[in-house]
């Protein structure tokens, strides 16, 4: 039996890396007595796969993993048993049975919706925030510099991320901080991180943000067809 | 509590933020404001290193299981995090409550290696706690220290209020109880320290003693300044390990640590009597846990952690009397959970090999052997009870089982060492290589790789070599050159330790109170993480040595007389000085001393538990 589970990654545990999560789930399977299928070979490890890694420091309420089991198990029981041993910031929200034909997580979930907030460094300035954002979205080119590994060296390349931003809007301004909502591509075809969004806002609009104060949360994942 | 928003900003800028967040499985969430005594357990190295230390898990659970006490952890922040903390005014905090360490009642450092001492000073500074004991009044926490290096507490005498010598389980609780009583009244630091020093065995308070020196820098006398304070401090040892507290839970780090597994402590002590090994002398005698106790503890630990490996961690785990039974029982018990067993150290004998076969039922482990010296003569000098045929047998078994990567560990600079002994290191390595290639073609599986590592011998207190002068740095480099020239085979990798690091270790480990000043200077000049080769900076250390006015050769390279008062002589670690002298003389004559599990060698431990058990 193969299961796809949706889980949260909240609080300080947003600082766990991809590998940390894999290890956490593997330990949790043992503790929760989940009959996980192991790979063959000298060093057997559970057949578990996670989606594309979430950037470090970003919360999420919609992460996914796939796992293979040797026996069938009620989905409810699967969720409950795991949730009993998982830390409270990482909890299974729901799970469903999938089969061999189900496409992998990383190949399907390549559109992401984020909630992002940051402190304004110029809160006293009178700015029409929505207007500024719309002006930014009118650009046909928004270039950022990305570091890429080329052989042994790291090189900086310019990437136009405008086509990868499907939506960007203001979600509220209060107490010197501003909240955005954004839908961006996060996959092979294009990839935008919340920190990059703030960077381009800082660079190209009158809105000035304290980038270090960023808080971001992934609130939805969509497939290519824009459906969850 | 520290400013959480600032912490979040800092965490976004550092390389491994999960080092600094806590919240691991089995960490406690007690309310520190309701605790009568707040204890901060401080490990003077990074999180991954500290979390791999079994003592932390024991003390953490032991203290938190008491209703009135709370124990939280703090580690040395890595360079990037320290920069962020200083930049954003974040004081050193504990992982659990994100509370400033300064607000705790007691800060307890564990001393696992001398080269972490500058980190200890840096952590006090990051906690905004005055570094010198005499500068701290009642508004600051009591700073205490324990662990193996506390057996020579003197180099840290200026910084630490109170040392706990020996095994800490019982004494720590006694100390916290005493603190609780004092806190209920009008707390006075000196009165508390006095009560601790006079009422609890194994407690050493440096400020109650004064040291006088001769013209030649040796110690002329130690004077006890307060009445009833003991002249000799006797180390604590737990007598019955089955009855001793053993945690049913272990903290489970999210990030990869040096030791990601369950540590199952089979016994304490080791009586092989290797003459260079401090642990072998200070943790005597052997006290075993029963198989029943261990199986029960293992089950609880597997359930509460989800780890897939149980590491049998004791000084020389293969010595456990019922090892076979234990391993079989463990493997059977956890077979369906795919939980394996690993042995961190293997001895070169047939018992170890048989056990290895058992363990292989589940998982392969890498193979490391430590002959320590290149010739039989020198192995006899250090009382390392292995011979060449032991090694041959072990290695040939390893090859037969499909291992092709072997590591060999040696030391240079051992007492009486000659060029022949050094060449012996090369000969033994080549022999291992030849053994691999001289086997029938079809058996030569894998890519052969041998790594021979040579470290520089550091004489340690409480060992028979405590009087021995360490080789000079130049001499070590000469020996390294000699060895380098003899290793010419691409299949053998020759590694060596930095002699300058071992030199600093030698100065500190046999240091007296005057070394405090050196440590302070080194820290002021920026030394930290000296145990990390990427961070160790000998030039700064040398400047600190010059400016503190100590004579480094006096501490590192000088061979002492037997009648000299050594800085740590006032501590009774178990074996008597007479025993150590006897062992040193036997070493120089190349005579071995058998393991005392067969016959008691009369090392002088009072009420030795072993005499009833083994002989
Ligand atoms: S007293 Fe005897 S049996 Fe006990 S540790 Fe010493 S030599 Fe061994």
């Amino acid at each position: 039996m193969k299961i796809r589970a949706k889980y949260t990654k909240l609080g300080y545990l947003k600082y766990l890396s991809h590998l940390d999560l894999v290890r956490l789930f593997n330990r949790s399977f043992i503790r929760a007595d989940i009959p996980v299928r192991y790979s063959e070979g000298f060093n057997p490890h559970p057949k578990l796969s996670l989606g594309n890694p979430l950037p470090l420091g970003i919360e999420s309420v919609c992460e996914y993993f796939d796992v293979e089991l040797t026996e069938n198990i009620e989905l409810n029981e699967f969720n409950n048993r795991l949730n009993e041993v998982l830390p409270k910031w990482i909890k299974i929200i729901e799970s469903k049975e999938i089969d061999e034909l189900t496409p992998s997580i990383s190949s399907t979930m390549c559109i992401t919706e984020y909630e992002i907030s940051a402190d304004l460094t110029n809160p006293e300035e009178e700015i029409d925030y929505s207007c500024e954002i719309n002006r930014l979205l009118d650009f046909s080119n928004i270039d950022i510099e990305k570091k890429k590994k080329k052989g042994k060296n790291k090189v900086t390349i310019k990437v136009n991320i405008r086509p990868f931003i499907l939506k960007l809007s203001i979600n509220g301004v209060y107490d010197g901080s501003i909240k955005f909502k954004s839908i961006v591509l996060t996959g092979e075809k294009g990839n935008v991180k919340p920190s990059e969004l703030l960077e381009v806002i800082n660079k190209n609009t009158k809105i000035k943000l304290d980038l270090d104060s960023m808080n971001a949360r992934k609130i939805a994942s969509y497939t290519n067809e824009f459906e969850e | 509590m520290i400013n959480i928003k600032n912490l979040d900003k800092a965490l976004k800028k550092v390389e491994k933020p999960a080092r600094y967040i806590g919240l691991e499985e089995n960490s406690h969430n007690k309310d520190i404001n309701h605790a009568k005594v707040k204890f901060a357990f401080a490990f003077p190295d990074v999180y991954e290193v500290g979390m791999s230390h079994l003592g932390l898990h024991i003390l953490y659970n032991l203290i938190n299981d008491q209703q009135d006490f709370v124990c939280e952890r703090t580690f040395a922040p890595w360079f990037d995090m320290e920069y962020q903390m200083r930049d954003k005014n974040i004081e050193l905090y504990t992982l659990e409550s994100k509370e400033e360490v300064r607000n705790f009642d007691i800060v307890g450092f564990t001393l696992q290696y001398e080269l972490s001492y500058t980190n200890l000073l840096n952590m006090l500074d990051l906690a905004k706690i005055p570094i010198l004991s005499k500068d701290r009044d009642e508004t600051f926490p009591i700073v205490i220290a324990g662990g193996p290096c506390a057996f020579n507490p003197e180099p840290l005498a200026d910084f630490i209020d109170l040392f706990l010598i020996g095994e800490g389980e019982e004494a720590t609780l006694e100390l916290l109880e005493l603190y609780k009583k004092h806190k209920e009244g009008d707390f006075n630091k000196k009165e508390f320290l006095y009560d601790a020093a006079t009422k609890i065995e194994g407690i050493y308070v440096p400020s109650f003693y004064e040291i006088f020196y001769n013209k030649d820098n040796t110690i002329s006398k130690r004077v006890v300044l307060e009445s009833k304070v003991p002249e000799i401090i006797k180390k604590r040892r737990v007598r019955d390990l089955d009855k001793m507290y053993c945690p049913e839970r272990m903290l489970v780090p999210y990030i990869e640590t040096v030791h990601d597994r369950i540590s199952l402590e089979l016994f304490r002590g080791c009586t092989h009597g290797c003459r260079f090994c401090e642990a072998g002398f200070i943790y005597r005698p052997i006290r075993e846990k029963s198989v029943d106790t261990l199986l029960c503890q293992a089950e609880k630990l597997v359930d509460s952690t989800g780890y897939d490996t149980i590491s049998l961690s004791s000084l020389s785990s293969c010595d456990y009397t019922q090892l076979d039974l234990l391993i079989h029982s463990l493997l059977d018990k956890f077979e369906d959970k795919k939980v394996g067993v690993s042995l961190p150290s293997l001895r070169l004998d047939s018992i170890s090999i048989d056990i290895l076969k058992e363990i292989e039922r589940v998982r392969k482990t890498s193979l490391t052997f430590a002959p320590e010296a290149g010739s039989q003569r020198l192995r006899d000098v250090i009382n390392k009870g292995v011979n060449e045929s032991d090694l041959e047998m072990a290695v040939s078994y390893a090859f037969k089982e499909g291992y092709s990567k072997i590591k060999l560990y040696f030391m240079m600079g051992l007492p009486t060492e000659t060029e022949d002994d050094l060449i012996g290191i090369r000969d033994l390595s080549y022999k291992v290589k030849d053994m691999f290639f001289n086997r029938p073609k079809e058996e030569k599986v894998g890519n052969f790789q041998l790594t021979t590592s040579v470290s520089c011998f550091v004489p340690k207190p409480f060992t028979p070599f405590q009087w021995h002068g360490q080789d000079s740095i130049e001499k070590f480099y000469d020996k390294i050159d000699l060895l380098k020239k003899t290793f010419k085979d691409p299949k053998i990798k020759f590694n060596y330790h930095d002699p300058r690091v071992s030199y600093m270790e030698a100065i500190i480990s046999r240091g007296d109170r005057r070394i405090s000043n050196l440590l302070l200077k080194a820290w002021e000049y920026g030394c930290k993480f000296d145990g990390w080769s990427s961070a160790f900076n000998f030039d700064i250390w040398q400047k600190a040595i010059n400016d503190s006015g100590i004579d480094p050769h006096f501490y590192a390279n000088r061979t002492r007389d037997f009648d000299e008062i050594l800085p740590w002589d006032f501590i009774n670690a178990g074996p008597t000085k007479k025993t150590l002298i006897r062992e040193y003389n036997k070493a120089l004559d190349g005579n071995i001393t058998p393991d005392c599990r067969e016959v008691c060698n009369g090392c002088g431990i009072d009420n030795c538990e072993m005499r009833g058990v083994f002989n």
Side-chain angles (χ1 to χ4, degrees):
Chain A
M1 174 187 200
K2 232 177 152 180
I3 291 180
R4 174 162 299 173
K6 179 178 177 184
Y7 66 94
T8 61
K9 189 184 181 202
L10 298 170
Y12 283 112
L13 297 200
K14 68 186 174 189
Y15 290 114
L16 298 199
S17 71
H18 199 70
L19 204 76
D20 298 338
L21 280 171
V22 171
R23 293 160 1 102
L24 170 66
F25 287 127
N26 289 347
R27 287 192 306 264
S28 302
F29 294 142
I30 292 185
R31 293 182 59 211
D33 259 319
I34 306 283
V36 174
R37 185 180 298 286
Y38 277 74
S39 64
E40 307 284 316
F42 270 144
N43 225 332
H45 50 86
K47 295 213 164 194
L48 167 77
S49 66
L50 273 62
N52 278 332
L54 188 66
L56 224 57
I58 291 175
E59 293 183 304
S60 173
V61 291
C62 54
E63 293 302 286
Y64 294 88
F65 70 74
D66 292 349
V67 66
E68 267 182 61
L69 308 185
T70 54
E71 292 161 36
N72 284 356
I73 178 171
E74 280 291 336
L75 290 175
N76 255 337
E77 202 188 325
F78 176 86
N79 298 351
N80 292 343
R81 280 201 341 223
L82 270 179
N83 279 341
E84 228 166 83
V85 298
L86 281 168
K88 70 173 176 224
W89 306 269
I90 293 182
K91 287 286 181 219
I92 311 287
I93 309 165
E94 59 187 22
S95 54
K96 63 178 181 199
E97 188 169 355
I98 54 172
D99 56 36
E100 302 307 314
L101 299 173
T102 317
S104 74
I105 304 168
S106 48
S107 68
T108 32
M109 318 275 187
C110 33
I111 297 171
T112 301
E113 182 164 8
Y114 286 114
E115 254 174 25
I116 311 163
S117 67
D119 291 346
L120 287 157
T121 57
N122 56 347
E124 63 297 331
E125 248 179 87
E126 259 186 51
I127 298 169
D128 184 336
Y129 294 107
S130 300
C131 180
E132 285 296 308
I133 294 298
N134 287 337
R135 205 167 57 77
L136 176 70
L137 292 177
D138 282 343
F139 292 7
S140 53
N141 256 303
I142 306 177
D143 286 345
I144 61 159
E145 291 190 337
K146 285 209 186 219
K147 283 200 179 87
K148 274 225 161 137
K149 259 196 206 149
K150 212 178 178 188
K152 271 185 190 162
N153 302 330
K154 269 193 177 172
V155 290
T156 340
I157 50 162
K158 262 198 186 146
V159 181
N160 173 20
I161 60 165
R162 178 61 193 91
F164 312 148
I165 307 175
L166 307 184
K167 210 181 130 194
L168 175 64
S169 61
I170 307 277
N171 207 19
V173 183
Y174 45 81
D175 225 9
S177 111
I178 185 163
K179 239 187 181 164
F180 304 95
K181 240 186 182 173
S182 182
I183 299 176
V184 293
L185 292 193
T186 48
E188 272 162 25
K189 285 188 203 139
N191 195 19
V192 183
K193 292 183 191 163
S195 57
E196 292 166 344
L197 278 174
L198 296 195
E199 236 171 80
V200 298
I201 292 172
N202 244 10
K203 217 166 141 196
N204 300 297
T205 75
K206 285 186 195 147
I207 308 171
K208 295 298 167 217
L209 303 163
D210 172 6
L211 297 181
D212 293 347
S213 69
M214 180 186 86
N215 266 310
R217 178 180 285 196
K218 179 170 160 189
I219 53 171
S221 254
Y222 305 101
T223 61
N224 278 332
E225 295 85 47
F226 223 111
E227 269 173 278
E228 200 167 350
Chain B
M1 195 159 95
I2 55 166
N3 183 320
I4 291 304
K5 224 176 157 177
N6 281 346
L7 175 63
D8 207 39
K9 283 186 189 178
L11 292 177
K12 291 215 172 79
K13 301 242 154 177
V14 299
E15 200 193 334
K16 291 186 182 167
R19 281 170 169 166
Y20 311 104
I21 61 174
L23 305 175
E24 307 92 326
E25 187 62 42
N26 298 325
S27 58
H28 84 84
N29 51 4
K30 284 170 116 171
D31 181 355
I32 54 165
N33 298 314
H34 284 117
K36 296 214 168 107
V37 184
K38 298 190 287 263
F39 184 90
F41 186 104
F43 197 100
D45 208 321
V46 284
Y47 176 86
E48 299 92 297
V49 176
M51 288 299 287
S52 302
H53 169 60
L54 177 61
L56 178 150
H57 298 269
I58 296 177
L59 277 186
Y60 182 80
N61 285 297
L62 170 74
I63 298 174
N64 283 322
D65 278 358
Q66 320 295 317
Q67 207 189 341
D68 288 346
F69 308 148
V70 67
C71 173
E72 303 202 338
R73 294 161 296 148
T74 187
F75 300 88
W78 190 245
F79 291 84
D80 55 353
M81 184 61 172
E82 177 182 346
Y83 175 83
Q84 292 298 329
M85 287 168 72
R86 293 199 189 269
D87 181 58
K88 299 184 166 59
N89 263 318
I90 302 171
E91 276 183 31
L92 189 74
Y93 62 91
T94 55
L95 296 186
E96 283 78 2
S97 300
K98 312 281 184 289
E99 178 76 13
E100 286 89 346
V101 168
R102 194 161 46 95
N103 296 336
F104 278 70
D105 296 310
I106 301 177
V107 181
F109 284 94
T110 176
L111 310 175
Q112 298 295 318
Y113 24 86
E114 290 83 5
L115 292 181
S116 67
Y117 289 178
T118 52
N119 277 3
L120 185 154
L121 303 193
N122 201 39
M123 285 171 78
L124 287 176
D125 186 59
L126 278 165
K128 298 220 161 64
I129 295 173
I131 292 193
L132 294 173
S133 169
K134 65 174 168 54
D135 295 339
R136 296 192 294 263
D137 60 15
E138 280 74 8
T139 59
F140 292 103
I142 298 286
V143 179
I144 72 170
C149 293
F151 277 82
N152 177 18
E154 293 298 74
L156 292 175
D158 287 358
F159 316 114
I160 303 291
D161 299 321
L162 171 160
F163 289 91
L164 205 158
I165 315 294
E167 293 163 351
E169 285 90 346
E170 296 160 344
T172 305
L173 288 188
E174 290 163 28
L175 190 72
L176 294 189
E177 279 298 337
L178 186 74
Y179 189 96
K180 188 175 91 181
K181 261 196 218 123
H182 276 255
K183 204 180 165 189
E184 279 160 5
D186 230 350
F187 187 85
N188 176 290
K189 180 179 170 183
K190 193 173 171 191
E191 279 171 21
F192 167 70
L193 293 177
Y194 180 79
D195 259 11
T198 49
K199 289 186 178 144
I200 304 175
E201 193 176 62
I203 297 283
Y204 169 59
V205 177
S207 58
F208 293 155
Y209 305 79
E210 194 175 346
I211 318 296
F212 294 89
Y213 300 94
N214 295 311
K215 276 217 182 70
D216 66 0
N217 268 332
T218 55
I219 294 171
S220 67
K221 62 177 178 202
R222 294 178 58 86
V223 175
V224 182
L225 302 174
E226 305 280 337
S227 72
K228 292 202 185 120
V229 169
E231 232 163 286
I232 299 289
I233 312 289
K234 200 170 156 205
K235 78 154 180 196
R236 292 296 291 262
R237 79 172 189 261
V238 175
R239 297 192 64 97
D240 186 344
L241 261 63
D242 273 333
K243 294 205 189 94
M244 182 190 76
Y245 176 84
C246 175
E248 297 177 352
R249 286 159 287 142
M250 259 179 91
L251 291 148
V252 186
Y254 290 113
I255 63 172
E256 205 165 352
T257 65
V258 182
H259 196 81
D260 265 320
R261 48 192 58 185
I262 290 169
S263 283
L264 198 61
E265 190 182 28
L266 311 188
F267 59 91
R268 290 198 182 158
C270 170
T271 48
H272 286 288
C274 299
R275 290 174 180 135
F276 55 86
C277 175
E278 188 175 18
F281 285 89
I282 62 179
Y283 289 126
R284 282 180 187 204
I286 291 179
R287 291 140 296 150
E288 291 193 340
K289 289 184 186 175
S290 68
V291 173
D292 285 345
T293 304
L294 289 167
L295 287 175
C296 170
Q297 288 171 355
E299 177 152 30
K300 285 175 178 150
L301 287 169
V302 169
D303 284 347
S304 66
T305 62
Y307 276 135
D308 63 2
T309 310
I310 300 172
S311 170
L312 307 182
S313 57
S314 292
L315 285 171
S316 176
S317 296
C318 293
D319 290 346
Y320 185 64
T321 36
Q322 306 215 56
L323 190 62
D324 223 28
L325 176 65
L326 176 69
I327 289 187
H328 276 108
S329 313
L330 285 172
L331 289 174
D332 289 345
K333 200 176 184 111
F334 300 116
E335 177 123 53
D336 54 332
K337 287 199 168 192
K338 297 265 189 295
V339 174
V341 174
S342 85
L343 274 169
S345 61
L346 282 175
R347 278 175 37 78
L348 298 166
D349 55 28
S350 53
I351 311 167
S352 303
I353 297 306
D354 286 344
I355 287 152
L356 200 62
K357 279 186 196 157
E358 278 308 316
I359 292 177
E360 297 316 303
R361 258 169 58 188
V362 174
R363 185 170 290 118
K364 292 238 172 217
T365 46
S366 66
L367 276 187
T368 301
F369 299 112
E372 310 288 6
S375 70
Q376 195 54 47
R377 187 199 67 79
L378 194 52
R379 281 193 294 271
D380 288 348
V381 167
I382 61 175
N383 208 39
K384 179 89 189 177
V386 293
N387 54 44
E388 210 147 312
S389 64
D390 291 334
L391 180 72
E392 274 173 34
M393 191 197 56
V395 169
S396 62
Y397 163 74
F399 290 152
K400 214 167 83 208
E401 290 298 306
Y403 288 95
S404 56
K405 289 190 174 59
I406 305 277
K407 282 185 187 157
L408 295 178
Y409 279 116
F410 295 94
M411 278 186 281
M412 58 182 162
L414 290 163
T416 77
E417 180 190 74
T418 64
E419 216 177 287
D420 287 346
D421 299 316
L422 290 172
I423 300 298
I425 295 177
R426 177 232 173 248
D427 292 346
L428 208 53
S429 305
Y430 272 67
K431 189 165 194 176
V432 169
K433 190 205 96 183
D434 291 342
M435 280 172 64
F436 182 84
F437 288 103
N438 289 343
R439 292 158 56 246
K441 219 178 188 165
E442 60 281 6
E443 279 179 34
K444 270 180 263 178
V445 272
N447 230 338
F448 178 78
Q449 175 76 80
L450 172 68
T451 308
T452 296
S453 294
V454 182
S455 65
C456 307
F457 174 56
V458 180
K460 291 281 171 114
F462 296 106
T463 66
F465 295 152
Q466 65 176 355
W467 294 277
H468 182 75
Q470 188 189 39
D471 275 357
S472 67
I473 294 181
E474 296 74 34
K475 214 165 171 183
F476 275 131
Y477 275 122
D478 286 346
K479 292 181 178 179
I480 289 167
D481 281 342
L482 177 95
L483 278 169
K484 257 196 204 156
K485 275 187 213 129
T486 63
F487 278 96
K488 285 206 185 99
D489 197 300
K491 298 262 181 235
I492 306 178
K493 211 173 144 208
F494 171 67
N495 278 342
Y496 57 90
H497 281 208
D498 186 340
R500 299 167 310 170
V501 173
S502 309
Y503 175 65
M504 286 319 306
E505 250 183 276
I507 293 172
I508 302 168
S509 66
R510 287 187 295 172
D512 52 36
R513 286 191 177 188
R514 292 167 296 187
I515 292 298
S516 287
N517 193 26
L518 166 65
L519 293 170
L520 189 62
K521 281 250 149 40
W523 167 72
E524 280 171 359
Y525 297 164
C527 287
K528 57 192 141 197
F529 289 108
D530 301 299
W532 295 69
S533 53
S534 61
F536 178 76
N537 188 328
F538 189 56
D539 292 342
I540 306 185
W541 274 104
Q542 232 159 359
K543 185 171 155 41
I545 288 172
N546 288 337
D547 293 359
S548 62
I550 66 140
D551 171 11
H553 305 288
F554 174 83
Y555 294 100
N557 314 113
R558 182 178 60 98
T559 293
R560 284 84 163 152
D561 287 333
F562 286 141
D563 53 15
E564 180 177 330
I565 299 177
L566 301 173
W568 54 91
D569 271 352
F570 67 98
I571 283 174
N572 175 357
T576 57
K577 201 168 183 177
K578 231 174 77 196
T579 303
L580 300 182
I581 293 174
R582 188 188 68 209
E583 282 297 301
Y584 191 29
N585 285 328
K586 277 176 94 175
L588 297 183
D589 294 341
N591 288 327
I592 58 165
T593 300
D595 190 320
C596 63
R597 278 175 301 171
E598 283 129 47
V599 182
C600 171
N601 295 316
C603 78
I605 295 176
D606 60 336
N607 288 318
C608 177
E609 289 86 347
M610 279 175 74
R611 281 191 298 240
V613 182
F614 293 98
N615 47 59

